[in-house]
Amino acid sequence: MIEAHELTKRYGDTHAVHSLRFTIAPGTVTGFPGPNDAGKSTTMRMIMRLDRPTPGTVTVNGKPYRQHRAPLREAGALLEASAVHPGRSARSHLREGVQWVRQLVRALAAEGRTVFLSSHLMSEMSQTADQLLVIGRGRIIAAGPVQQVIDSVAGGAVRVRSPRAGELAAALAADGATVTSPEAGMLDVSGTTAALLDSLTQCSHTGWDATAATPASASSAISTSRSTHDS
């Protein structure tokens, strides 16, 4: 089990992670989706005690990771995307890797282990995870069973504000989203939930200065701004 209480990480005046509270239960796969610079890597590094919280606490099976007599018997992590098998080609990794990861994490969860898996893609998480912990700009913005989180935004439009709204609208439409513009600099984006959230996630990769939120709830805001630095 992994438990975080007011988990925070600051770099100077910037909050990479801000007051996270969560419990990752054993026997399940918990997905941790969010855009680039959302705080995913920073959170995982603090779990493994590679970074120190400032302030807050996070424990693995009841203790900070390094306080265990044999920490590597309590938890293991793969935090770098570059850690790939040297004997496999890029094509082989892309073709086989996703299915292998799905099977591996499901098998580990079936053994009663705690699995915490980060990704940029909500669509992938929806096929792999039991629970979701969605992070944006260093804060948890949605949490719960996968279908519950998906249903919370299914069928609704997400409002996006950007000074490059015209270009962004074209990019989102190309990804299969339905886009309308109620006013200058503002877009209402709808479509299948996974595709919609993936489209918004990709904004951070392309340099859009965009902020998105469901019209019904500001607390469900999904930011794709690049102003928060994930370490």
Side-chain angles (χ1 to χ4, degrees):
M1 179 178 291
I2 303 170
E3 296 178 280
H5 300 278
E6 299 299 326
L7 189 62
T8 300
K9 183 63 177 179
R10 290 191 299 267
Y11 295 98
D13 294 331
T14 300
H15 276 89
V17 170
H18 189 69
S19 301
L20 302 189
R21 299 181 186 179
F22 59 79
T23 298
I24 310 300
T28 62
V29 177
T30 299
F32 194 39
N36 276 350
D37 301 330
K40 300 187 301 297
S41 296
T42 299
T43 301
M44 289 191 160
R45 288 180 63 83
M46 287 192 288
I47 291 171
M48 303 304 293
R49 206 60 177 180
L50 297 173
D51 285 340
R52 289 180 175 273
T54 55
T57 62
V58 59
T59 59
V60 175
N61 296 332
K63 295 181 180 179
Y65 180 71
R66 289 190 179 180
Q67 289 185 15
H68 286 283
R69 183 181 296 274
L72 290 176
R73 292 183 178 271
E74 301 294 331
L78 177 62
L79 301 180
E80 298 295 335
S82 59
V84 296
H85 195 291
R88 291 187 180 274
S89 66
R91 182 186 297 274
S92 177
H93 273 290
L94 291 172
R95 181 178 298 171
E96 301 171 15
V98 172
Q99 289 294 333
W100 179 81
V101 168
R102 286 180 188 166
Q103 293 169 7
L104 174 64
V105 298
R106 298 306 316 170
L108 291 172
E111 294 175 1
R113 305 190 190 208
T114 303
V115 181
F116 194 35
L117 183 67
S118 74
S119 176
H120 299 295
L121 301 177
M122 181 68 80
S123 56
E124 178 57 36
M125 290 291 94
S126 69
Q127 298 180 62
T128 306
D130 304 299
Q131 303 281 327
L132 290 178
L133 194 67
V134 185
I135 189 170
R137 300 191 74 179
R139 297 177 183 269
I140 301 303
I141 57 178
V146 170
Q147 197 58 49
Q148 177 182 309
V149 173
I150 290 174
D151 288 347
S152 70
V153 294
V158 174
R159 181 151 291 175
V160 183
R161 294 176 177 83
S162 172
R164 299 170 61 190
E167 297 168 78
L168 180 56
L172 291 169
D175 283 343
T178 300
V179 184
T180 60
S181 180
E183 62 182 69
M186 182 182 295
L187 305 173
D188 284 344
V189 188
S190 61
T192 60
T193 300
L196 170 59
L197 294 178
D198 282 350
S199 294
L200 294 173
T201 296
Q202 296 310 310
C203 295
S204 64
H205 296 287
T206 53
W208 305 113
D209 179 15
T211 301
T214 57
S217 175
S219 65
S220 297
I222 300 174
S223 171
T224 55
S225 169
R226 306 183 69 175
S227 62
T228 301
H229 296 285
D230 191 4
S231 170

PDB file of all heavy atoms in Angstrom, residues 56 62 67 90 124 169 173 200:
ATOM      1  N   GLY A  56       5.296  17.202   3.769  1.00  0.00           N
ATOM      2  CA  GLY A  56       4.404  16.095   3.507  1.00  0.00           C
ATOM      3  C   GLY A  56       5.109  14.759   3.682  1.00  0.00           C
ATOM      4  O   GLY A  56       6.330  14.689   3.866  1.00  0.00           O
ATOM      5  N   GLY A  62       3.417   1.218   5.036  1.00  0.00           N
ATOM      6  CA  GLY A  62       3.423   1.754   6.392  1.00  0.00           C
ATOM      7  C   GLY A  62       4.650   2.513   6.823  1.00  0.00           C
ATOM      8  O   GLY A  62       4.662   3.104   7.907  1.00  0.00           O
ATOM      9  N   GLN A  67      13.188   3.523   5.125  1.00  0.00           N
ATOM     10  CA  GLN A  67      13.214   3.008   6.494  1.00  0.00           C
ATOM     11  C   GLN A  67      12.991   1.504   6.571  1.00  0.00           C
ATOM     12  O   GLN A  67      13.150   0.893   7.631  1.00  0.00           O
ATOM     13  CB  GLN A  67      12.181   3.737   7.350  1.00  0.00           C
ATOM     14  CG  GLN A  67      12.554   5.174   7.647  1.00  0.00           C
ATOM     15  CD  GLN A  67      11.582   5.849   8.589  1.00  0.00           C
ATOM     16  OE1 GLN A  67      10.765   5.194   9.250  1.00  0.00           O
ATOM     17  NE2 GLN A  67      11.650   7.172   8.657  1.00  0.00           N
ATOM     18  N   ALA A  90      12.824  -0.706 -31.868  1.00  0.00           N
ATOM     19  CA  ALA A  90      11.750   0.220 -31.509  1.00  0.00           C
ATOM     20  C   ALA A  90      10.399  -0.324 -31.964  1.00  0.00           C
ATOM     21  O   ALA A  90       9.400  -0.235 -31.244  1.00  0.00           O
ATOM     22  CB  ALA A  90      12.005   1.590 -32.134  1.00  0.00           C
ATOM     23  N   GLU A 124      -5.320   4.571 -22.728  1.00  0.00           N
ATOM     24  CA  GLU A 124      -4.571   3.396 -22.296  1.00  0.00           C
ATOM     25  C   GLU A 124      -4.909   3.028 -20.860  1.00  0.00           C
ATOM     26  O   GLU A 124      -5.081   1.857 -20.520  1.00  0.00           O
ATOM     27  CB  GLU A 124      -3.067   3.652 -22.442  1.00  0.00           C
ATOM     28  CG  GLU A 124      -2.188   2.495 -21.972  1.00  0.00           C
ATOM     29  CD  GLU A 124      -2.502   1.192 -22.699  1.00  0.00           C
ATOM     30  OE1 GLU A 124      -2.817   1.231 -23.903  1.00  0.00           O
ATOM     31  OE2 GLU A 124      -2.446   0.128 -22.054  1.00  0.00           O
ATOM     32  N   ALA A 169      -8.006  24.479 -32.258  1.00  0.00           N
ATOM     33  CA  ALA A 169      -9.253  23.864 -32.711  1.00  0.00           C
ATOM     34  C   ALA A 169      -9.003  22.915 -33.872  1.00  0.00           C
ATOM     35  O   ALA A 169      -9.555  21.801 -33.919  1.00  0.00           O
ATOM     36  CB  ALA A 169     -10.249  24.947 -33.127  1.00  0.00           C
ATOM     37  N   ALA A 173      -9.688  18.906 -33.687  1.00  0.00           N
ATOM     38  CA  ALA A 173     -10.621  18.321 -34.655  1.00  0.00           C
ATOM     39  C   ALA A 173      -9.948  17.196 -35.436  1.00  0.00           C
ATOM     40  O   ALA A 173     -10.574  16.177 -35.738  1.00  0.00           O
ATOM     41  CB  ALA A 173     -11.138  19.400 -35.600  1.00  0.00           C
ATOM     42  N   LEU A 200      -6.519  16.749 -25.197  1.00  0.00           N
ATOM     43  CA  LEU A 200      -6.113  17.844 -24.323  1.00  0.00           C
ATOM     44  C   LEU A 200      -4.730  17.605 -23.757  1.00  0.00           C
ATOM     45  O   LEU A 200      -3.927  18.535 -23.619  1.00  0.00           O
ATOM     46  CB  LEU A 200      -7.138  18.010 -23.192  1.00  0.00           C
ATOM     47  CG  LEU A 200      -8.516  18.453 -23.665  1.00  0.00           C
ATOM     48  CD1 LEU A 200      -9.490  18.430 -22.498  1.00  0.00           C
ATOM     49  CD2 LEU A 200      -8.469  19.828 -24.290  1.00  0.00           C
TER      50      LEU A 200
END
